[in-house]
Amino acid sequence: MRLSRYFLPVSKDVPADAAIVSHQLMLRTGMVRQNGAGIYTWLPLGHRVLQKIEQVVREEMDRAGAIEMLMPTIQQAELWQESGRYEDYGKEMLRITDRHDRDMLFGPTNEELITDVFRTYVKSYKALPLNLYHTQWKFRDEIRPRFGVMRGREFLMKDAYSFDLTEEDGRASYNRMFCAYLNTFDRLGLTAIPMQADTGPIGGDLSHEFIILAETGESAVFCDKDMLDLPAPGLDLDFDSDLSGEVAKRTTYYAATDEMHDETEFAKIPQERQVSARGIEVGHIFFFGTKYSEPMNATVQTAEGGSVPVQMGSYGIGVSRLVGGIIEACHDENGIVWPQSIAPFEVGLISMRPKDETVSKVADEAYETLKAAGFDVLYDETDERPGSKFNRMDLIGLPWQIIIGPRGIENGVVELKNRKSGEKSEVALEKAVEMVKAG
Ligand code: ATP
Ligand code: MG
């Protein structure tokens, strides 16, 4: 993308109403624009990151055997009356009446809708296990939307739903999602800690929140320091195998948010390993058995010919919240430092003298070479001062910068800068391509 033709409304001003650094940086880099309390327009740069995160989440869901679909944002009240949650959900649910006076709502989550899909089409245990997911906008009329996209009212969530014949199978599905989540957050450059959680309005008895540590996090969290060094299960994990060991490895450590915190248990950890910090919830998984299948009559036939309510779990990832969460974890005094896996562009190409014919020719060629190598490239061929071009590139945080100037051209090299380490090297363009590829 040529910057002169792109839409990147960066701004120098730190917005007064943005309390945390991720919100400030998202506004300064022109990633989002607030339209109302907790409601945002995703401008091109923000939209790219949102899509890249969505894609990583999708790949890991698919790898774990989940199947993608798409449910609507607007739902009929009837299904929620069936499950009993239409009254229970309270003021967070945005209720709407259509022109025929029908009660509708903007979906805050999708357990009811998916249970209805399941009961319509699945009749036999032979179709199980089944895991269906989508990534769709949700609306929750949060009492205090704040911190930008981290606590919005309209937000993008990936939610998956598992269906199994027995409770034991249901727990195996839960374990698959547990491991898939660890791999997902690892690919996003985050250390997410699974913590025992309260189940809230979703219900059930088994639940973990995935929390990333950040000073600006909304929850107080407590955990064992040793947990932070555990590697993710890895992309070669066999999702058809028994994953209870992988899960147990992590759940034996103490880890809880303030809601579930037990001071006596925490005190049993050696003091030097006690981490008491703040965290951001980026994912939440639940196993709730027959909480929805029973009232909604979602049953399957067993091998013996009987009929039982299906065992269900649900699994959410806050895709739009992650954009803010990742910036909280990945920034410095000059701006954002994107992990390469989800950077809006992998490479920022800067032409130092766009008016110089030789420089612009070499820079144009480099642009074509980088694109042909498969990179997303933002090519700054604008006619601004080099200083402001460098600052803008640092601010938007692309992992690599390649700078083309007359001196380098004389020596047959480009300047390659790693945004995270600040390290600069003068190398041939081919070498730079290799280094960016290696990440
Ligand atoms: P919270 O405790 O933060 O209010 P929740 O427990 O109500 O979240 P879940 O129902 O577990 O949320 O939703 C799954 C995921 O969706 C959460 O882990 C979070 O990442 C994301 N999420 C929930 N509410 C919001 C929101 N208001 N804005 C942005 N993301 C959200
Ligand atoms: Mg939650």
Side-chain angles (χ1 to χ4, degrees), residues 198 209 281 283-284 286:
D198 200 14
E209 285 175 354
E281 179 193 324
H284 197 165
F286 305 83

Side-chain angles (χ1 to χ4, degrees), residues 140 197-199 202 207-209 281 283-286 321:
R140 294 183 186 173
D198 200 14
T199 54
I202 309 279
S207 174
H208 285 90
E209 285 175 354
E281 179 193 324
H284 197 165
I285 62 178
F286 305 83
R321 176 179 288 182

Side-chain angles (χ1 to χ4, degrees), residues 364-377 433 437:
D364 281 357
E365 281 167 11
Y367 179 51
E368 294 307 325
T369 305
L370 291 164
K371 279 197 298 180
F375 301 130
D376 289 330
V377 186
V433 168
K437 269 212 176 113

Side-chain angles (χ1 to χ4, degrees), residues 145-433:
R146 57 183 181 157
F147 299 157
V149 299
M150 296 251 255
R151 182 163 297 283
R153 292 199 297 167
E154 190 185 51
F155 60 96
L156 190 61
M157 192 206 288
K158 183 286 300 173
D159 37 325
Y161 301 88
S162 65
F163 302 89
D164 286 276
L165 181 61
T166 64
E167 188 180 326
E168 194 191 344
D169 292 349
R171 284 173 192 269
S173 289
Y174 183 89
N175 291 345
R176 277 195 283 279
M177 288 294 107
F178 188 105
C179 292
Y181 273 38
L182 291 170
N183 282 343
T184 304
F185 295 123
D186 187 57
R187 279 189 63 190
L188 297 173
L190 299 170
T191 303
I193 312 161
M195 299 199 177
Q196 254 192 57
D198 200 14
T199 54
I202 309 279
D205 63 349
L206 175 61
S207 174
H208 285 90
E209 285 175 354
F210 289 75
I211 306 269
I212 57 173
L213 300 184
E215 277 164 31
T216 50
E218 285 187 294
S219 355
V221 298
F222 306 85
C223 71
D224 187 328
K225 191 164 181 283
D226 282 3
M227 268 188 104
L228 304 178
D229 302 325
L230 287 177
L235 302 185
D236 54 358
L237 188 72
D238 176 5
F239 279 96
D240 290 328
S241 67
D242 177 6
L243 299 177
S244 53
E246 284 292 337
V247 172
K249 233 192 264 175
R250 289 158 179 95
T251 49
T252 48
Y253 290 95
Y254 184 89
T257 61
D258 42 4
E259 288 162 352
M260 302 289 279
H261 183 50
D262 179 340
E263 198 52 56
T264 324
E265 283 302 307
F266 188 56
K268 292 180 187 163
I269 310 171
Q271 201 151 19
E272 66 279 9
R273 276 171 35 201
Q274 291 178 9
V275 177
S276 155
R278 301 202 67 82
I280 301 167
E281 179 193 324
V282 288
H284 197 165
I285 62 178
F286 305 83
F287 176 66
F288 42 71
T290 60
K291 178 180 155 98
Y292 299 91
S293 55
E294 245 174 285
M296 293 184 67
N297 221 357
T299 59
V300 280
Q301 266 146 26
T302 64
E304 294 76 36
S307 159
V308 293
V310 71
Q311 298 280 335
M312 290 175 59
S314 77
Y315 313 89
I317 289 183
V319 175
S320 52
R321 176 179 288 182
L322 271 166
V323 181
I326 291 170
I327 297 174
E328 287 295 321
C330 310
H331 68 271
D332 63 16
E333 65 281 6
N334 297 324
I336 304 172
V337 184
W338 290 115
Q340 196 158 333
S341 57
I342 50 117
F345 299 92
E346 288 146 301
V347 182
L349 176 67
I350 300 178
S351 167
M352 295 288 286
R353 294 214 195 138
K355 283 194 171 150
D356 177 313
E357 218 172 280
T358 318
V359 174
S360 74
K361 182 166 172 282
V362 173
D364 281 357
E365 281 167 11
Y367 179 51
E368 294 307 325
T369 305
L370 291 164
K371 279 197 298 180
F375 301 130
D376 289 330
V377 186
L378 185 63
Y379 176 20
D380 185 348
E381 21 68 296
T382 63
D383 196 21
E384 289 168 39
R385 283 186 306 111
S388 68
K389 292 165 84 150
F390 292 141
N391 290 345
R392 177 171 50 212
M393 224 27 123
D394 279 351
L395 179 68
I396 66 172
L398 310 185
W400 299 94
Q401 297 172 15
I402 292 180
I403 299 140
I404 311 275
R407 203 170 47 84
I409 292 175
E410 259 172 44
N411 301 326
V413 293
V414 299
E415 185 177 312
L416 177 71
K417 176 178 156 184
N418 181 283
R419 174 67 180 85
K420 189 172 179 189
S421 65
E423 219 169 285
K424 293 178 182 170
S425 32
E426 299 206 328
V427 294
L429 183 62
E430 299 71 47
K431 176 74 183 159
V433 168

Side-chain angles (χ1 to χ4, degrees), residues 31-90:
M31 291 178 66
V32 289
R33 168 163 170 77
Q34 184 171 343
N35 300 103
I39 302 177
Y40 290 86
T41 292
W42 291 80
L43 299 168
L45 193 74
H47 186 234
R48 285 186 82 95
V49 177
L50 193 65
Q51 285 190 311
K52 289 212 171 175
I53 295 174
E54 184 181 345
Q55 182 58 21
V56 169
V57 172
R58 170 180 294 122
E59 286 169 17
E60 295 317 313
M61 281 292 112
D62 293 351
R63 199 190 307 276
I67 304 165
E68 189 170 16
M69 60 185 289
L70 185 61
M71 290 177 267
T73 53
I74 307 288
Q75 308 182 16
Q76 310 273 355
E78 280 87 351
L79 289 175
W80 289 71
Q81 284 154 350
E82 261 190 71
S83 75
R85 277 208 297 182
Y86 192 60
E87 302 307 326
D88 292 354
Y89 214 93

